[in-house]
Amino acid sequence: MSRHTRPAAILLGLFAISPLLVACPSSPSCSGSQRPYNNVCLDNVAITYIECTKGRGFDLTTELSGKLGGTFKVIADASVEAAYKQTQEENTVVGLQIVSDCLKIAESSADTAANRSAAEESRQRADLIRRQVEETAHIEISPNQARAGQSVLITGTSFYPDETVAIYVHATLVTQTKVDGQGAFSATITVPKNALPGFQTAVTVTGETSAKTAQAPFEALP
């Protein structure tokens, strides 16, 4: 190769590899207490929290993929929802317990009041859901005697938060209603015409997500 063609070859080589150099991802430039994590900037407490859950077998990376880069509160809230989703799918509170434990660590290590408050609020939410999942569902009927066509009030507690429950009188589906974020509901139903007077029957409420069932005695009057 001549001396004249050698510089041209070098330039061509640089042009060939330049797209590769541009395509290579680089760590973002983070400021303050934030550090690079999965190509986004996160507070130290958020990174500590995510690594804590991952180290205990509950990897939130996929669930939080769209939330990374947000505030710690966004990440903490989303992690509780991810753990609750696992509970609904697998009927286990393991994820909720891991999230609660790691949020407690995050709460103690947070370097700002906002992050401490976010960790505490999300931990309390995770603990509330876990207790509701573990507790036995319960309903009450008022009054527990009524004629067909009359109204009675059904109240329930300890169902899954925000799930839909089905209310039956004996084997008749009377209505469906949504449980609130605390696992409770209140619904007024009408006693169906096929409720036989003089026979002790029952009102049954079943959660469509949790499959939790609660019963209470009811008597149809003549």
Side-chain angles (χ1 to χ4, degrees):
M1 183 180 294
S2 69
R3 286 181 297 174
H4 296 290
T5 58
R6 191 173 300 160
I10 294 173
L11 287 173
L12 288 173
L14 289 174
F15 281 124
I17 65 172
S18 60
L20 298 177
L21 294 175
V22 173
C24 291
S26 59
S27 296
S29 178
C30 303
S31 60
S33 63
Q34 292 192 326
R35 293 190 288 124
Y37 185 84
N38 283 5
N39 295 320
V40 296
C41 294
L42 290 179
D43 289 341
N44 287 328
V45 65
I47 297 173
T48 299
Y49 172 62
I50 294 171
E51 289 299 315
C52 175
T53 59
K54 186 186 296 186
R56 299 187 183 203
F58 188 54
D59 190 352
L60 292 166
T61 305
T62 301
E63 293 289 345
L64 298 181
S65 59
K67 305 293 191 303
L68 293 180
T71 65
F72 174 63
K73 177 172 174 53
V74 170
I75 291 172
D77 289 345
S79 69
V80 174
E81 295 306 315
Y84 181 36
K85 179 181 177 181
Q86 183 199 57
T87 295
Q88 293 173 305
E89 294 174 348
E90 302 177 12
N91 196 28
T92 174
V93 296
V94 171
L96 286 167
Q97 186 63 62
I98 292 172
V99 162
S100 177
D101 291 343
C102 289
L103 282 169
K104 191 171 184 178
I105 293 173
E107 186 180 347
S108 63
S109 64
D111 53 1
T112 68
N115 284 344
R116 280 193 297 273
S117 177
E120 180 182 14
E121 290 176 4
S122 294
R123 177 178 57 79
Q124 290 175 347
R125 168 75 170 160
D127 289 342
L128 171 64
I129 295 174
R130 179 175 51 78
R131 288 194 300 269
Q132 290 167 332
V133 170
E134 292 175 333
E135 290 175 355
T136 301
H138 176 74
I139 63 168
E140 292 185 359
I141 307 172
S142 179
N144 60 4
Q145 294 177 316
R147 294 181 176 83
Q150 292 184 326
S151 297
V152 296
L153 177 66
I154 313 294
T155 58
T157 57
S158 296
F159 288 89
Y160 276 18
D162 304 315
E163 75 170 327
T164 298
V165 294
I167 302 176
Y168 298 84
V169 175
H170 190 47
T172 302
L173 175 63
V174 178
T175 190
Q176 293 175 302
T177 190
K178 191 171 183 180
V179 175
D180 65 19
Q182 308 301 308
F185 75 90
S186 177
T188 300
I189 67 168
T190 299
V191 179
K193 293 180 179 180
N194 61 354
L196 298 177
F199 288 90
Q200 190 77 29
T201 184
V203 171
T204 304
V205 179
T206 301
E208 292 191 349
T209 301
S210 64
K212 283 189 173 186
T213 297
Q215 282 190 334
F218 175 76
E219 183 180 355
L221 298 175

PDB file of all heavy atoms in Angstrom, residues 132 159-163 178-185:
ATOM      1  N   GLN A 132     -55.031  -8.833  55.147  1.00  0.00           N
ATOM      2  CA  GLN A 132     -56.335  -9.110  54.551  1.00  0.00           C
ATOM      3  C   GLN A 132     -56.340 -10.458  53.829  1.00  0.00           C
ATOM      4  O   GLN A 132     -57.337 -11.182  53.854  1.00  0.00           O
ATOM      5  CB  GLN A 132     -56.713  -7.988  53.586  1.00  0.00           C
ATOM      6  CG  GLN A 132     -57.037  -6.677  54.288  1.00  0.00           C
ATOM      7  CD  GLN A 132     -57.111  -5.513  53.339  1.00  0.00           C
ATOM      8  OE1 GLN A 132     -56.468  -5.517  52.297  1.00  0.00           O
ATOM      9  NE2 GLN A 132     -57.887  -4.512  53.686  1.00  0.00           N
ATOM     10  N   PHE A 159     -61.793  -9.337  52.598  1.00  0.00           N
ATOM     11  CA  PHE A 159     -61.643  -9.847  51.242  1.00  0.00           C
ATOM     12  C   PHE A 159     -60.414  -9.180  50.634  1.00  0.00           C
ATOM     13  O   PHE A 159     -59.791  -8.317  51.254  1.00  0.00           O
ATOM     14  CB  PHE A 159     -62.908  -9.552  50.418  1.00  0.00           C
ATOM     15  CG  PHE A 159     -64.085 -10.395  50.805  1.00  0.00           C
ATOM     16  CD1 PHE A 159     -64.958  -9.979  51.803  1.00  0.00           C
ATOM     17  CD2 PHE A 159     -64.319 -11.620  50.194  1.00  0.00           C
ATOM     18  CE1 PHE A 159     -66.046 -10.761  52.180  1.00  0.00           C
ATOM     19  CE2 PHE A 159     -65.399 -12.409  50.561  1.00  0.00           C
ATOM     20  CZ  PHE A 159     -66.262 -11.984  51.564  1.00  0.00           C
ATOM     21  N   TYR A 160     -60.053  -9.579  49.421  1.00  0.00           N
ATOM     22  CA  TYR A 160     -58.919  -8.940  48.762  1.00  0.00           C
ATOM     23  C   TYR A 160     -59.294  -7.495  48.406  1.00  0.00           C
ATOM     24  O   TYR A 160     -60.432  -7.244  47.985  1.00  0.00           O
ATOM     25  CB  TYR A 160     -58.544  -9.681  47.488  1.00  0.00           C
ATOM     26  CG  TYR A 160     -57.646 -10.880  47.678  1.00  0.00           C
ATOM     27  CD1 TYR A 160     -57.505 -11.491  48.914  1.00  0.00           C
ATOM     28  CD2 TYR A 160     -56.940 -11.414  46.606  1.00  0.00           C
ATOM     29  CE1 TYR A 160     -56.690 -12.598  49.077  1.00  0.00           C
ATOM     30  CE2 TYR A 160     -56.121 -12.517  46.754  1.00  0.00           C
ATOM     31  CZ  TYR A 160     -56.001 -13.107  47.997  1.00  0.00           C
ATOM     32  OH  TYR A 160     -55.190 -14.204  48.148  1.00  0.00           O
ATOM     33  N   PRO A 161     -58.378  -6.562  48.549  1.00  0.00           N
ATOM     34  CA  PRO A 161     -58.673  -5.178  48.174  1.00  0.00           C
ATOM     35  C   PRO A 161     -59.082  -5.059  46.709  1.00  0.00           C
ATOM     36  O   PRO A 161     -58.470  -5.668  45.835  1.00  0.00           O
ATOM     37  CB  PRO A 161     -57.345  -4.446  48.428  1.00  0.00           C
ATOM     38  CG  PRO A 161     -56.632  -5.299  49.420  1.00  0.00           C
ATOM     39  CD  PRO A 161     -57.013  -6.703  49.106  1.00  0.00           C
ATOM     40  N   ASP A 162     -60.157  -4.322  46.465  1.00  0.00           N
ATOM     41  CA  ASP A 162     -60.601  -3.952  45.113  1.00  0.00           C
ATOM     42  C   ASP A 162     -61.108  -5.120  44.268  1.00  0.00           C
ATOM     43  O   ASP A 162     -61.320  -4.949  43.068  1.00  0.00           O
ATOM     44  CB  ASP A 162     -59.474  -3.231  44.354  1.00  0.00           C
ATOM     45  CG  ASP A 162     -58.962  -2.010  45.099  1.00  0.00           C
ATOM     46  OD1 ASP A 162     -59.801  -1.242  45.588  1.00  0.00           O
ATOM     47  OD2 ASP A 162     -57.732  -1.836  45.196  1.00  0.00           O
ATOM     48  N   GLU A 163     -61.309  -6.281  44.858  1.00  0.00           N
ATOM     49  CA  GLU A 163     -61.844  -7.384  44.059  1.00  0.00           C
ATOM     50  C   GLU A 163     -63.365  -7.302  43.999  1.00  0.00           C
ATOM     51  O   GLU A 163     -64.005  -6.564  44.747  1.00  0.00           O
ATOM     52  CB  GLU A 163     -61.409  -8.739  44.630  1.00  0.00           C
ATOM     53  CG  GLU A 163     -62.122  -9.172  45.893  1.00  0.00           C
ATOM     54  CD  GLU A 163     -61.820 -10.623  46.269  1.00  0.00           C
ATOM     55  OE1 GLU A 163     -61.618 -11.446  45.359  1.00  0.00           O
ATOM     56  OE2 GLU A 163     -61.783 -10.928  47.477  1.00  0.00           O
ATOM     57  N   LYS A 178     -68.156  -4.415  44.281  1.00  0.00           N
ATOM     58  CA  LYS A 178     -66.705  -4.290  44.381  1.00  0.00           C
ATOM     59  C   LYS A 178     -66.292  -3.963  45.798  1.00  0.00           C
ATOM     60  O   LYS A 178     -66.888  -3.115  46.461  1.00  0.00           O
ATOM     61  CB  LYS A 178     -66.185  -3.219  43.419  1.00  0.00           C
ATOM     62  CG  LYS A 178     -64.671  -3.220  43.271  1.00  0.00           C
ATOM     63  CD  LYS A 178     -64.211  -2.297  42.157  1.00  0.00           C
ATOM     64  CE  LYS A 178     -62.703  -2.360  41.979  1.00  0.00           C
ATOM     65  NZ  LYS A 178     -62.232  -1.474  40.891  1.00  0.00           N
ATOM     66  N   VAL A 179     -65.244  -4.636  46.261  1.00  0.00           N
ATOM     67  CA  VAL A 179     -64.678  -4.410  47.589  1.00  0.00           C
ATOM     68  C   VAL A 179     -63.783  -3.171  47.529  1.00  0.00           C
ATOM     69  O   VAL A 179     -63.186  -2.867  46.494  1.00  0.00           O
ATOM     70  CB  VAL A 179     -63.866  -5.656  48.016  1.00  0.00           C
ATOM     71  CG1 VAL A 179     -63.152  -5.431  49.322  1.00  0.00           C
ATOM     72  CG2 VAL A 179     -64.785  -6.863  48.115  1.00  0.00           C
ATOM     73  N   ASP A 180     -63.685  -2.455  48.640  1.00  0.00           N
ATOM     74  CA  ASP A 180     -62.837  -1.262  48.645  1.00  0.00           C
ATOM     75  C   ASP A 180     -61.376  -1.629  48.906  1.00  0.00           C
ATOM     76  O   ASP A 180     -61.017  -2.803  49.020  1.00  0.00           O
ATOM     77  CB  ASP A 180     -63.338  -0.222  49.663  1.00  0.00           C
ATOM     78  CG  ASP A 180     -63.234  -0.704  51.111  1.00  0.00           C
ATOM     79  OD1 ASP A 180     -62.479  -1.650  51.403  1.00  0.00           O
ATOM     80  OD2 ASP A 180     -63.919  -0.113  51.972  1.00  0.00           O
ATOM     81  N   GLY A 181     -60.517  -0.612  48.993  1.00  0.00           N
ATOM     82  CA  GLY A 181     -59.092  -0.844  49.174  1.00  0.00           C
ATOM     83  C   GLY A 181     -58.730  -1.427  50.519  1.00  0.00           C
ATOM     84  O   GLY A 181     -57.591  -1.859  50.726  1.00  0.00           O
ATOM     85  N   GLN A 182     -59.677  -1.444  51.454  1.00  0.00           N
ATOM     86  CA  GLN A 182     -59.445  -2.027  52.773  1.00  0.00           C
ATOM     87  C   GLN A 182     -59.982  -3.452  52.874  1.00  0.00           C
ATOM     88  O   GLN A 182     -59.944  -4.067  53.938  1.00  0.00           O
ATOM     89  CB  GLN A 182     -60.117  -1.170  53.855  1.00  0.00           C
ATOM     90  CG  GLN A 182     -59.747   0.310  53.785  1.00  0.00           C
ATOM     91  CD  GLN A 182     -58.264   0.532  53.924  1.00  0.00           C
ATOM     92  OE1 GLN A 182     -57.645   0.039  54.861  1.00  0.00           O
ATOM     93  NE2 GLN A 182     -57.685   1.283  53.010  1.00  0.00           N
ATOM     94  N   GLY A 183     -60.520  -3.989  51.774  1.00  0.00           N
ATOM     95  CA  GLY A 183     -61.051  -5.353  51.792  1.00  0.00           C
ATOM     96  C   GLY A 183     -62.465  -5.462  52.314  1.00  0.00           C
ATOM     97  O   GLY A 183     -62.930  -6.548  52.647  1.00  0.00           O
ATOM     98  N   ALA A 184     -63.175  -4.316  52.394  1.00  0.00           N
ATOM     99  CA  ALA A 184     -64.530  -4.305  52.958  1.00  0.00           C
ATOM    100  C   ALA A 184     -65.546  -3.882  51.894  1.00  0.00           C
ATOM    101  O   ALA A 184     -65.205  -3.248  50.898  1.00  0.00           O
ATOM    102  CB  ALA A 184     -64.590  -3.359  54.146  1.00  0.00           C
ATOM    103  N   PHE A 185     -66.802  -4.243  52.140  1.00  0.00           N
ATOM    104  CA  PHE A 185     -67.881  -3.801  51.253  1.00  0.00           C
ATOM    105  C   PHE A 185     -69.172  -3.684  52.046  1.00  0.00           C
ATOM    106  O   PHE A 185     -69.316  -4.230  53.150  1.00  0.00           O
ATOM    107  CB  PHE A 185     -68.079  -4.778  50.084  1.00  0.00           C
ATOM    108  CG  PHE A 185     -68.779  -6.054  50.467  1.00  0.00           C
ATOM    109  CD1 PHE A 185     -70.164  -6.158  50.411  1.00  0.00           C
ATOM    110  CD2 PHE A 185     -68.057  -7.155  50.904  1.00  0.00           C
ATOM    111  CE1 PHE A 185     -70.815  -7.327  50.778  1.00  0.00           C
ATOM    112  CE2 PHE A 185     -68.696  -8.329  51.271  1.00  0.00           C
ATOM    113  CZ  PHE A 185     -70.084  -8.405  51.208  1.00  0.00           C
TER     114      PHE A 185
END
